[in-house]
mmCIF file of all heavy atoms in Angstrom:
data_model
loop_
_atom_site.group_PDB
_atom_site.id
_atom_site.type_symbol
_atom_site.label_atom_id
_atom_site.label_comp_id
_atom_site.label_asym_id
_atom_site.label_seq_id
_atom_site.Cartn_x
_atom_site.Cartn_y
_atom_site.Cartn_z
ATOM 1 N N GLY A 452 -53.106 -8.014 -2.535
ATOM 2 C CA GLY A 452 -52.063 -6.999 -2.423
ATOM 3 C C GLY A 452 -52.551 -5.745 -1.726
ATOM 4 O O GLY A 452 -53.683 -5.665 -1.243
ATOM 5 N N PRO A 453 -51.712 -4.720 -1.661
ATOM 6 C CA PRO A 453 -52.053 -3.508 -0.904
ATOM 7 C C PRO A 453 -53.094 -2.605 -1.565
ATOM 8 O O PRO A 453 -53.659 -1.746 -0.915
ATOM 9 C CB PRO A 453 -50.718 -2.782 -0.799
ATOM 10 C CG PRO A 453 -49.960 -3.244 -2.001
ATOM 11 C CD PRO A 453 -50.379 -4.674 -2.225
ATOM 12 N N ILE A 454 -53.376 -2.810 -2.853
ATOM 13 C CA ILE A 454 -54.338 -1.952 -3.547
ATOM 14 C C ILE A 454 -55.596 -2.764 -3.859
ATOM 15 O O ILE A 454 -55.527 -3.768 -4.565
ATOM 16 C CB ILE A 454 -53.732 -1.413 -4.870
ATOM 17 C CG1 ILE A 454 -52.468 -0.631 -4.589
ATOM 18 C CG2 ILE A 454 -54.745 -0.562 -5.617
ATOM 19 C CD1 ILE A 454 -51.693 -0.242 -5.820
ATOM 20 N N PRO A 455 -56.743 -2.345 -3.354
ATOM 21 C CA PRO A 455 -57.984 -3.102 -3.590
ATOM 22 C C PRO A 455 -58.530 -2.871 -5.004
ATOM 23 O O PRO A 455 -59.331 -1.979 -5.251
ATOM 24 C CB PRO A 455 -58.937 -2.565 -2.530
ATOM 25 C CG PRO A 455 -58.438 -1.184 -2.241
ATOM 26 C CD PRO A 455 -56.950 -1.230 -2.444
ATOM 27 N N ILE A 456 -58.089 -3.685 -5.953
ATOM 28 C CA ILE A 456 -58.462 -3.527 -7.356
ATOM 29 C C ILE A 456 -59.927 -3.898 -7.589
ATOM 30 O O ILE A 456 -60.635 -3.207 -8.319
ATOM 31 C CB ILE A 456 -57.541 -4.381 -8.245
ATOM 32 C CG1 ILE A 456 -56.114 -3.860 -8.135
ATOM 33 C CG2 ILE A 456 -58.005 -4.389 -9.688
ATOM 34 C CD1 ILE A 456 -55.090 -4.739 -8.779
ATOM 35 N N THR A 457 -60.384 -4.981 -6.976
ATOM 36 C CA THR A 457 -61.741 -5.461 -7.219
ATOM 37 C C THR A 457 -62.779 -4.442 -6.772
ATOM 38 O O THR A 457 -63.761 -4.185 -7.476
ATOM 39 C CB THR A 457 -61.962 -6.801 -6.498
ATOM 40 O OG1 THR A 457 -60.929 -7.712 -6.875
ATOM 41 C CG2 THR A 457 -63.298 -7.400 -6.852
ATOM 42 N N ALA A 458 -62.586 -3.854 -5.606
ATOM 43 C CA ALA A 458 -63.536 -2.856 -5.112
ATOM 44 C C ALA A 458 -63.539 -1.621 -6.011
ATOM 45 O O ALA A 458 -64.607 -1.064 -6.301
ATOM 46 C CB ALA A 458 -63.187 -2.473 -3.684
ATOM 47 N N ALA A 459 -62.376 -1.196 -6.466
ATOM 48 C CA ALA A 459 -62.297 -0.035 -7.352
ATOM 49 C C ALA A 459 -62.984 -0.322 -8.686
ATOM 50 O O ALA A 459 -63.704 0.531 -9.214
ATOM 51 C CB ALA A 459 -60.835 0.359 -7.585
ATOM 52 N N MET A 460 -62.801 -1.539 -9.225
ATOM 53 C CA MET A 460 -63.451 -1.884 -10.479
ATOM 54 C C MET A 460 -64.967 -1.976 -10.294
ATOM 55 O O MET A 460 -65.732 -1.523 -11.154
ATOM 56 C CB MET A 460 -62.924 -3.210 -11.021
ATOM 57 C CG MET A 460 -63.532 -3.582 -12.347
ATOM 58 S SD MET A 460 -62.772 -5.015 -13.072
ATOM 59 C CE MET A 460 -61.413 -4.223 -13.910
ATOM 60 N N GLY A 461 -65.412 -2.531 -9.189
ATOM 61 C CA GLY A 461 -66.846 -2.594 -8.906
ATOM 62 C C GLY A 461 -67.462 -1.214 -8.786
ATOM 63 O O GLY A 461 -68.554 -0.962 -9.298
ATOM 64 N N LEU A 462 -66.768 -0.311 -8.120
ATOM 65 C CA LEU A 462 -67.249 1.055 -7.988
ATOM 66 C C LEU A 462 -67.316 1.742 -9.353
ATOM 67 O O LEU A 462 -68.291 2.427 -9.655
ATOM 68 C CB LEU A 462 -66.344 1.846 -7.043
ATOM 69 C CG LEU A 462 -66.759 3.280 -6.755
ATOM 70 C CD1 LEU A 462 -68.116 3.297 -6.052
ATOM 71 C CD2 LEU A 462 -65.719 3.963 -5.890
ATOM 72 N N PHE A 463 -66.316 1.524 -10.185
ATOM 73 C CA PHE A 463 -66.314 2.085 -11.536
ATOM 74 C C PHE A 463 -67.521 1.593 -12.328
ATOM 75 O O PHE A 463 -68.207 2.373 -12.998
ATOM 76 C CB PHE A 463 -65.011 1.714 -12.256
ATOM 77 C CG PHE A 463 -65.009 2.069 -13.714
ATOM 78 C CD1 PHE A 463 -64.776 3.370 -14.116
ATOM 79 C CD2 PHE A 463 -65.248 1.106 -14.685
ATOM 80 C CE1 PHE A 463 -64.776 3.718 -15.463
ATOM 81 C CE2 PHE A 463 -65.249 1.432 -16.028
ATOM 82 C CZ PHE A 463 -65.008 2.738 -16.415
ATOM 83 N N ILE A 464 -67.795 0.290 -12.252
ATOM 84 C CA ILE A 464 -68.920 -0.288 -13.000
ATOM 85 C C ILE A 464 -70.245 0.273 -12.503
ATOM 86 O O ILE A 464 -71.130 0.602 -13.297
ATOM 87 C CB ILE A 464 -68.886 -1.828 -12.911
ATOM 88 C CG1 ILE A 464 -67.704 -2.352 -13.720
ATOM 89 C CG2 ILE A 464 -70.190 -2.445 -13.400
ATOM 90 C CD1 ILE A 464 -67.434 -3.821 -13.552
ATOM 91 N N VAL A 465 -70.396 0.416 -11.196
ATOM 92 C CA VAL A 465 -71.650 0.938 -10.644
ATOM 93 C C VAL A 465 -71.839 2.409 -11.009
ATOM 94 O O VAL A 465 -72.943 2.832 -11.362
ATOM 95 C CB VAL A 465 -71.678 0.751 -9.107
ATOM 96 C CG1 VAL A 465 -72.811 1.525 -8.476
ATOM 97 C CG2 VAL A 465 -71.794 -0.724 -8.765
ATOM 98 N N LEU A 466 -70.780 3.194 -10.957
ATOM 99 C CA LEU A 466 -70.905 4.625 -11.220
ATOM 100 C C LEU A 466 -71.082 4.963 -12.697
ATOM 101 O O LEU A 466 -71.909 5.799 -13.057
ATOM 102 C CB LEU A 466 -69.680 5.371 -10.683
ATOM 103 C CG LEU A 466 -69.573 5.475 -9.167
ATOM 104 C CD1 LEU A 466 -68.269 6.161 -8.786
ATOM 105 C CD2 LEU A 466 -70.757 6.212 -8.597
ATOM 106 N N PHE A 467 -70.298 4.324 -13.562
ATOM 107 C CA PHE A 467 -70.268 4.733 -14.969
ATOM 108 C C PHE A 467 -71.034 3.813 -15.908
ATOM 109 O O PHE A 467 -71.262 4.176 -17.056
ATOM 110 C CB PHE A 467 -68.817 4.875 -15.441
ATOM 111 C CG PHE A 467 -68.082 5.945 -14.707
ATOM 112 C CD1 PHE A 467 -67.117 5.630 -13.774
ATOM 113 C CD2 PHE A 467 -68.363 7.278 -14.932
ATOM 114 C CE1 PHE A 467 -66.433 6.615 -13.086
ATOM 115 C CE2 PHE A 467 -67.687 8.279 -14.254
ATOM 116 C CZ PHE A 467 -66.727 7.940 -13.324
ATOM 117 N N ARG A 468 -71.412 2.628 -15.465
ATOM 118 C CA ARG A 468 -72.152 1.652 -16.277
ATOM 119 C C ARG A 468 -71.601 1.566 -17.699
ATOM 120 O O ARG A 468 -72.285 1.920 -18.669
ATOM 121 C CB ARG A 468 -73.624 2.006 -16.315
ATOM 122 C CG ARG A 468 -74.279 1.956 -14.987
ATOM 123 C CD ARG A 468 -75.738 2.231 -15.137
ATOM 124 N NE ARG A 468 -76.156 3.069 -14.016
ATOM 125 C CZ ARG A 468 -77.309 3.673 -13.956
ATOM 126 N NH1 ARG A 468 -78.165 3.569 -14.922
ATOM 127 N NH2 ARG A 468 -77.606 4.395 -12.910
ATOM 128 N N PRO A 469 -70.369 1.068 -17.854
ATOM 129 C CA PRO A 469 -69.749 1.019 -19.183
ATOM 130 C C PRO A 469 -70.477 0.044 -20.113
ATOM 131 O O PRO A 469 -71.043 -0.963 -19.680
ATOM 132 C CB PRO A 469 -68.324 0.546 -18.900
ATOM 133 C CG PRO A 469 -68.396 -0.135 -17.591
ATOM 134 C CD PRO A 469 -69.501 0.521 -16.828
ATOM 135 N N LEU A 470 -70.451 0.357 -21.396
ATOM 136 C CA LEU A 470 -71.134 -0.452 -22.398
ATOM 137 C C LEU A 470 -70.548 -1.860 -22.470
ATOM 138 O O LEU A 470 -71.274 -2.833 -22.659
ATOM 139 C CB LEU A 470 -71.057 0.225 -23.764
ATOM 140 C CG LEU A 470 -71.804 -0.457 -24.896
ATOM 141 C CD1 LEU A 470 -73.294 -0.566 -24.574
ATOM 142 C CD2 LEU A 470 -71.595 0.288 -26.188
ATOM 143 N N TRP A 471 -69.234 -2.009 -22.272
ATOM 144 C CA TRP A 471 -68.618 -3.327 -22.344
ATOM 145 C C TRP A 471 -69.171 -4.250 -21.265
ATOM 146 O O TRP A 471 -69.300 -5.452 -21.467
ATOM 147 C CB TRP A 471 -67.095 -3.261 -22.275
ATOM 148 C CG TRP A 471 -66.543 -2.665 -21.015
ATOM 149 C CD1 TRP A 471 -66.163 -1.372 -20.833
ATOM 150 C CD2 TRP A 471 -66.308 -3.322 -19.767
ATOM 151 N NE1 TRP A 471 -65.716 -1.189 -19.547
ATOM 152 C CE2 TRP A 471 -65.784 -2.374 -18.867
ATOM 153 C CE3 TRP A 471 -66.474 -4.624 -19.315
ATOM 154 C CZ2 TRP A 471 -65.450 -2.678 -17.555
ATOM 155 C CZ3 TRP A 471 -66.137 -4.929 -18.005
ATOM 156 C CH2 TRP A 471 -65.629 -3.965 -17.145
ATOM 157 N N PHE A 472 -69.522 -3.701 -20.113
ATOM 158 C CA PHE A 472 -70.063 -4.540 -19.035
ATOM 159 C C PHE A 472 -71.481 -4.989 -19.370
ATOM 160 O O PHE A 472 -71.843 -6.145 -19.145
ATOM 161 C CB PHE A 472 -70.031 -3.785 -17.705
ATOM 162 C CG PHE A 472 -70.412 -4.656 -16.542
ATOM 163 C CD1 PHE A 472 -69.533 -5.598 -16.045
ATOM 164 C CD2 PHE A 472 -71.652 -4.534 -15.941
ATOM 165 C CE1 PHE A 472 -69.883 -6.407 -14.991
ATOM 166 C CE2 PHE A 472 -72.017 -5.335 -14.878
ATOM 167 C CZ PHE A 472 -71.129 -6.277 -14.396
ATOM 168 N N LYS A 473 -72.278 -4.093 -19.934
ATOM 169 C CA LYS A 473 -73.637 -4.465 -20.331
ATOM 170 C C LYS A 473 -73.591 -5.531 -21.416
ATOM 171 O O LYS A 473 -74.355 -6.505 -21.372
ATOM 172 C CB LYS A 473 -74.412 -3.257 -20.830
ATOM 173 C CG LYS A 473 -75.835 -3.607 -21.220
ATOM 174 C CD LYS A 473 -76.541 -2.453 -21.872
ATOM 175 C CE LYS A 473 -77.951 -2.783 -22.272
ATOM 176 N NZ LYS A 473 -78.160 -4.018 -22.963
ATOM 177 N N ASN A 474 -72.699 -5.380 -22.380
ATOM 178 C CA ASN A 474 -72.561 -6.384 -23.434
ATOM 179 C C ASN A 474 -72.125 -7.732 -22.859
ATOM 180 O O ASN A 474 -72.594 -8.785 -23.306
ATOM 181 C CB ASN A 474 -71.568 -5.921 -24.495
ATOM 182 C CG ASN A 474 -72.086 -4.742 -25.281
ATOM 183 O OD1 ASN A 474 -73.280 -4.509 -25.363
ATOM 184 N ND2 ASN A 474 -71.174 -3.982 -25.855
ATOM 185 N N LEU A 475 -71.244 -7.698 -21.874
ATOM 186 C CA LEU A 475 -70.793 -8.931 -21.231
ATOM 187 C C LEU A 475 -71.954 -9.628 -20.527
ATOM 188 O O LEU A 475 -72.155 -10.835 -20.688
ATOM 189 C CB LEU A 475 -69.678 -8.622 -20.228
ATOM 190 C CG LEU A 475 -69.159 -9.803 -19.422
ATOM 191 C CD1 LEU A 475 -68.452 -10.795 -20.329
ATOM 192 C CD2 LEU A 475 -68.246 -9.321 -18.329
ATOM 193 N N VAL A 476 -72.750 -8.887 -19.788
ATOM 194 C CA VAL A 476 -73.898 -9.461 -19.089
ATOM 195 C C VAL A 476 -74.922 -9.994 -20.090
ATOM 196 O O VAL A 476 -75.463 -11.097 -19.906
ATOM 197 C CB VAL A 476 -74.531 -8.418 -18.144
ATOM 198 C CG1 VAL A 476 -75.837 -8.917 -17.571
ATOM 199 C CG2 VAL A 476 -73.564 -8.059 -17.028
ATOM 200 N N ASP A 477 -75.170 -9.251 -21.158
ATOM 201 C CA ASP A 477 -76.100 -9.716 -22.188
ATOM 202 C C ASP A 477 -75.613 -11.007 -22.828
ATOM 203 O O ASP A 477 -76.401 -11.924 -23.087
ATOM 204 C CB ASP A 477 -76.297 -8.661 -23.265
ATOM 205 C CG ASP A 477 -77.102 -7.470 -22.784
ATOM 206 O OD1 ASP A 477 -77.784 -7.587 -21.734
ATOM 207 O OD2 ASP A 477 -77.048 -6.413 -23.441
ATOM 208 N N THR A 478 -74.312 -11.109 -23.079
ATOM 209 C CA THR A 478 -73.745 -12.317 -23.683
ATOM 210 C C THR A 478 -73.888 -13.513 -22.744
ATOM 211 O O THR A 478 -74.249 -14.609 -23.172
ATOM 212 C CB THR A 478 -72.265 -12.103 -24.024
ATOM 213 O OG1 THR A 478 -72.144 -11.001 -24.916
ATOM 214 C CG2 THR A 478 -71.670 -13.344 -24.665
ATOM 215 N N ILE A 479 -73.635 -13.294 -21.471
ATOM 216 C CA ILE A 479 -73.716 -14.388 -20.502
ATOM 217 C C ILE A 479 -75.150 -14.892 -20.383
ATOM 218 O O ILE A 479 -75.404 -16.097 -20.396
ATOM 219 C CB ILE A 479 -73.175 -13.946 -19.131
ATOM 220 C CG1 ILE A 479 -71.667 -13.748 -19.208
ATOM 221 C CG2 ILE A 479 -73.524 -14.965 -18.060
ATOM 222 C CD1 ILE A 479 -71.070 -13.135 -17.970
ATOM 223 N N TYR A 480 -76.111 -14.003 -20.286
ATOM 224 C CA TYR A 480 -77.484 -14.407 -20.042
ATOM 225 C C TYR A 480 -78.290 -14.708 -21.305
ATOM 226 O O TYR A 480 -79.408 -15.194 -21.205
ATOM 227 C CB TYR A 480 -78.197 -13.363 -19.188
ATOM 228 C CG TYR A 480 -77.733 -13.399 -17.757
ATOM 229 C CD1 TYR A 480 -76.914 -12.399 -17.254
ATOM 230 C CD2 TYR A 480 -78.075 -14.457 -16.932
ATOM 231 C CE1 TYR A 480 -76.457 -12.451 -15.951
ATOM 232 C CE2 TYR A 480 -77.630 -14.502 -15.632
ATOM 233 C CZ TYR A 480 -76.826 -13.502 -15.138
ATOM 234 O OH TYR A 480 -76.381 -13.559 -13.860
ATOM 235 N N SER A 481 -77.751 -14.437 -22.477
ATOM 236 C CA SER A 481 -78.490 -14.726 -23.704
ATOM 237 C C SER A 481 -78.464 -16.214 -24.052
ATOM 238 O O SER A 481 -79.314 -16.685 -24.782
ATOM 239 C CB SER A 481 -77.932 -13.919 -24.865
ATOM 240 O OG SER A 481 -76.674 -14.418 -25.246
ATOM 241 N N GLY A 482 -77.472 -16.909 -23.547
ATOM 242 C CA GLY A 482 -77.350 -18.322 -23.864
ATOM 243 C C GLY A 482 -76.624 -18.574 -25.180
ATOM 244 O O GLY A 482 -76.393 -19.695 -25.578
ATOM 245 N N LYS A 483 -76.258 -17.498 -25.866
ATOM 246 C CA LYS A 483 -75.526 -17.619 -27.125
ATOM 247 C C LYS A 483 -74.064 -17.339 -26.850
ATOM 248 O O LYS A 483 -73.698 -16.508 -26.046
ATOM 249 C CB LYS A 483 -76.033 -16.608 -28.149
ATOM 250 C CG LYS A 483 -77.481 -16.812 -28.511
ATOM 251 C CD LYS A 483 -77.937 -15.730 -29.454
ATOM 252 C CE LYS A 483 -79.422 -15.843 -29.713
ATOM 253 N NZ LYS A 483 -79.913 -14.722 -30.499
ATOM 254 N N ASN A 484 -73.198 -18.018 -27.573
ATOM 255 C CA ASN A 484 -71.759 -17.814 -27.421
ATOM 256 C C ASN A 484 -71.231 -17.134 -28.679
ATOM 257 O O ASN A 484 -71.370 -17.661 -29.770
ATOM 258 C CB ASN A 484 -71.055 -19.150 -27.196
ATOM 259 C CG ASN A 484 -69.637 -18.955 -26.758
ATOM 260 O OD1 ASN A 484 -69.163 -17.830 -26.626
ATOM 261 N ND2 ASN A 484 -68.949 -20.041 -26.518
ATOM 262 N N THR A 485 -70.646 -15.961 -28.500
ATOM 263 C CA THR A 485 -70.136 -15.211 -29.655
ATOM 264 C C THR A 485 -68.698 -15.583 -29.978
ATOM 265 O O THR A 485 -68.182 -15.198 -31.005
ATOM 266 C CB THR A 485 -70.210 -13.695 -29.401
ATOM 267 O OG1 THR A 485 -69.476 -13.366 -28.231
ATOM 268 C CG2 THR A 485 -71.654 -13.275 -29.247
ATOM 269 N N ASN A 486 -68.034 -16.314 -29.095
ATOM 270 C CA ASN A 486 -66.622 -16.674 -29.330
ATOM 271 C C ASN A 486 -66.502 -18.124 -29.696
ATOM 272 O O ASN A 486 -66.949 -19.018 -29.242
ATOM 273 C CB ASN A 486 -65.765 -16.376 -28.106
ATOM 274 C CG ASN A 486 -65.710 -14.881 -27.846
ATOM 275 O OD1 ASN A 486 -65.866 -14.095 -28.739
ATOM 276 N ND2 ASN A 486 -65.478 -14.514 -26.618
#
């Protein structure tokens, strides 16, 4: 669509390093499934 959502979200993650993203990466690479 006309608004680049993915680039804006990527920029947000790089600039602010939200805790939810770190937890997501830790969950993916830990090999454990919490759900």
Side-chain angles (χ1 to χ4, degrees):
I454 301 171
I456 296 171
T457 307
M460 182 173 274
L462 183 63
F463 171 79
I464 290 171
V465 168
L466 289 176
F467 297 107
R468 297 184 219 168
L470 184 59
W471 61 264
F472 187 75
K473 181 187 180 313
N474 292 337
L475 177 66
V476 171
D477 289 343
T478 302
I479 290 172
Y480 287 107
S481 72
K483 298 176 186 174
N484 192 0
T485 58
N486 294 334

